[in-house]
Amino acid sequence: MITTKLSIAEAQYFLPLTAPAAPVEKAYQELVSKTGKGNDFLGWLDLPETVSTDLIAEINSTAKSLAATAEVIVVVGIGGSYLGARAVIEALQHPFKALLPHNKTPLVLFAGNSMGEDYHKGLMDLLDIKDYAVIVISKSGTTTEPAIAFRILKEHCEKKYGKLEAQKRIVAITDEKKGALKKLATEENYRTFVIPDDVGGRYSVLTPVGLLPIACAGFNIEKLIAGAKKMRNHLLQHPHLSENIAMQYAHTRFLLYKEDKKLELVVAYEPQLFFFIEWFKQLFGESDGKAGKGIFPAGAVFSTDLHSLGQYIQEGERHLFETVLSVEKVASHLPIPFDHNDLDGLNYLQQKSMHEINLTAEEGTRLAHLAGEVPNIRIVIPEISEEILGELIYFFEFSCALGGYLLNINPFDQPGVEAYKSNMFRLLGKK
Ligand code: PA5
């Protein structure tokens, strides 16, 4: 199970020593009793228990049937309808899967999360020569970016395979009743999965939104859900700050925020967690950034970014704190070989694995950043697996909701996202 090493003692170096537990325990009660703001969007709280075995079986069998005819599966979606699946898939899959011959499972690629024309044309070039299927995801069914990408993909798929076969290769995940995508899916007779009404986009990774793409990539969604269930049990069984890791995390972030630490840099030392951090940024950014409040969620991969952002973190403006996703055990072992000439002077590292050196870099960085007055929160992850990712997803969702309640805002809406859309529609002359 993941643990939080909040470096509270170290964090408290920057904080009043006796911060009362009451606000976070009140936020917790509001959340678990479902009496807080946005309580019609709390379906995610119970998802690990409510996802039925029938639904899981249907997702797994759909993934299997798509994989039978597709080398590539294109997942069309943006924001919460995209990032959770990508976070889990990229964390677990071989980093060079795209270039490996004889993959047992399809390569999952993504579209409709930008309006990059070159990107999408490049994807179409690839789809000219690869067999593929499409999973189109939109809760509202009206989001412009995925809708444009899907229109292009649908036309391509129908031209390549014919209308009837294209219909078999397209799966839609959307609202049960409303939205343009729902209408289209019904008319075209696409296989369809439902996004529950009471689960918002960025909390939807444990619905078919995340589960189907993850199953298509060959990963075990039962284990992912089991991990989330384990974390849910832990959090619901511990109503006090002293023993509840999500409360501890939310509490520490809130105290740091009140001490003018307005930017949280989430850091991983394993590059495959890059998209997990992207998912985190979206979850916390859209949930907490409201009413002139909220911690700005940023991300970095170390040691890579120590050679770009490191200088700023060590000596720049003191408005940030770090949350490190610290991975205890990695899947591979790559020892540093002995070299007779030792021209690079690395023989002292002989027999150490790259991961051991990476962990030492992590500890050295933590000490340096603490000395530079950057509070450090550590979330210790025993390994990167489906189960642990399930725990992490639920942990962050729960912590995020608590954080929103501590700020006295609704963590489940996103009114600010409409501003760019209405300008864009006006400039495009939409009626
Ligand atoms: O978290 C959210 O609600 C948003 O990020 C949405 O997921 C995103 O805007 C995509 O919306 P939709 O699924 O309606 O296309």
Side-chain angles (χ1 to χ4, degrees):
M1 176 136 167
I2 67 161
T3 47
T4 46
K5 299 257 167 65
L6 296 179
S7 300
I8 282 185
E10 289 141 338
Q12 277 179 344
Y13 172 71
F14 306 97
L15 297 171
L17 283 169
T18 50
V24 76
E25 293 191 351
K26 180 172 168 274
Y28 176 89
Q29 286 310 332
E30 275 175 358
L31 182 61
V32 299
S33 64
K34 304 187 179 173
T35 52
K37 291 191 172 151
N39 59 0
D40 45 344
F41 274 96
L42 289 178
W44 60 272
L45 252 185
D46 301 321
L47 272 179
E49 291 295 338
T50 55
V51 175
S52 69
T53 45
D54 285 354
L55 178 62
I56 291 178
E58 198 189 336
I59 290 173
N60 279 331
S61 91
T62 304
K64 212 168 151 198
S65 76
L66 293 178
T69 55
E71 309 161 79
V72 169
I73 291 187
V74 184
V75 175
V76 185
I78 196 166
S81 288
Y82 143 73
L83 279 163
R86 189 159 193 184
V88 173
I89 292 169
E90 301 240 346
L92 294 173
Q93 86 180 357
H94 191 289
F96 302 104
K97 177 171 178 174
L99 297 173
L100 290 179
H102 317 306
N103 279 314
K104 286 201 194 104
T105 52
L107 184 67
V108 174
L109 299 178
F110 297 89
N113 55 72
S114 76
M115 289 184 282
E117 194 158 3
D118 290 342
Y119 176 88
H120 286 91
K121 171 66 174 74
L123 179 63
M124 295 305 139
D125 293 344
L126 181 76
L127 300 180
D128 283 343
I129 56 165
K130 296 278 183 195
D131 275 316
Y132 70 97
V134 179
I135 302 173
V136 53
I137 309 174
S138 176
K139 180 163 184 191
S140 63
T142 53
T143 309
T144 309
E145 293 89 337
I148 292 176
F150 183 61
R151 185 181 271 219
I152 295 168
L153 278 156
K154 179 175 181 289
E155 185 199 56
H156 186 279
C157 196
E158 288 174 356
K159 274 198 185 137
K160 179 163 173 163
Y161 296 109
K163 181 107 179 148
L164 272 181
E165 175 63 16
Q167 284 170 333
K168 291 187 199 143
R169 287 174 179 265
I170 295 173
V171 178
I173 306 180
T174 188
D175 188 88
E176 192 180 1
K177 298 188 193 100
K178 55 183 191 303
L181 180 58
K182 171 66 193 163
K183 203 165 156 228
L184 184 66
T186 309
E187 266 176 34
E188 297 283 353
N189 211 15
Y190 296 149
R191 258 176 292 183
T192 304
F193 288 90
V194 170
I195 309 173
D197 275 349
D198 57 357
V199 181
R202 56 192 175 276
Y203 291 82
S204 69
V205 53
L206 300 175
T207 73
V209 171
L211 298 177
L212 181 60
I214 293 166
C216 286
F219 300 112
N220 189 322
I221 56 173
E222 284 97 327
K223 286 191 181 162
L224 190 77
I225 292 165
K229 203 183 274 188
K230 193 163 162 191
M231 180 55 68
R232 180 178 180 273
N233 290 341
H234 165 76
L235 298 178
L236 294 187
Q237 283 161 15
H238 295 96
H240 297 296
L241 174 64
S242 57
E243 47 196 14
N244 181 302
I245 59 174
M247 264 200 253
Q248 289 165 5
Y249 176 52
H251 176 76
T252 307
R253 290 176 84 248
F254 183 60
L255 295 179
L256 289 166
Y257 177 67
K258 290 209 297 194
E259 290 293 308
D260 269 349
K261 301 291 181 190
K262 301 242 161 119
L263 189 148
E264 177 175 20
L265 190 66
V266 178
V267 173
Y269 284 74
E270 301 300 324
Q272 66 270 40
L273 292 178
F274 177 88
F275 273 97
F276 196 87
I277 296 175
E278 291 300 296
W279 172 81
F280 168 92
K281 280 160 59 181
Q282 195 240 349
L283 176 65
F284 280 72
E286 263 188 9
S287 299
D288 286 359
K290 279 160 209 166
K293 297 187 245 186
I295 296 169
F296 185 85
V301 173
F302 286 177
S303 59
T304 314
D305 291 330
L306 288 174
H307 298 259
S308 62
L309 299 173
Q311 173 60 37
Y312 188 102
I313 298 165
Q314 193 67 47
E315 295 181 352
E317 180 136 14
R318 303 298 72 192
H319 63 340
L320 54 88
F321 65 96
E322 256 171 18
T323 297
V324 177
L325 304 179
S326 178
V327 178
E328 280 184 317
K329 208 173 96 219
V330 291
S332 322
H333 182 59
L334 203 54
I336 313 296
F338 179 77
D339 185 297
H340 282 289
N341 296 323
D342 196 24
L343 293 177
D344 53 12
L346 289 182
N347 272 355
Y348 78 105
L349 295 175
Q350 192 224 341
Q351 290 313 322
K352 282 203 189 304
S353 71
M354 220 178 209
H355 187 60
E356 278 175 88
I357 302 170
N358 205 12
L359 286 176
T360 312
E362 184 183 316
E363 179 58 7
T365 307
R366 191 178 72 86
L367 295 173
H369 289 178
L370 282 169
E373 298 191 6
V374 178
N376 247 261
I377 296 173
R378 251 174 100 217
I379 295 173
V380 181
I381 302 168
E383 61 181 16
I384 302 176
S385 62
E386 285 98 330
E387 197 166 344
I388 296 295
L389 290 170
E391 285 184 26
L392 269 180
I393 286 167
Y394 196 87
F395 165 80
F396 278 122
E397 288 178 346
F398 201 98
S399 307
C400 182
L402 290 177
Y405 285 168
L406 282 166
L407 291 172
N408 196 24
I409 49 102
N410 175 357
F412 308 113
D413 63 2
Q414 54 284 329
V417 180
E418 292 311 311
Y420 98 90
K421 290 186 192 167
S422 52
N423 281 340
M424 178 178 75
F425 292 144
R426 184 173 42 79
L427 294 169
L428 286 170
K430 184 178 176 183
K431 294 207 176 79

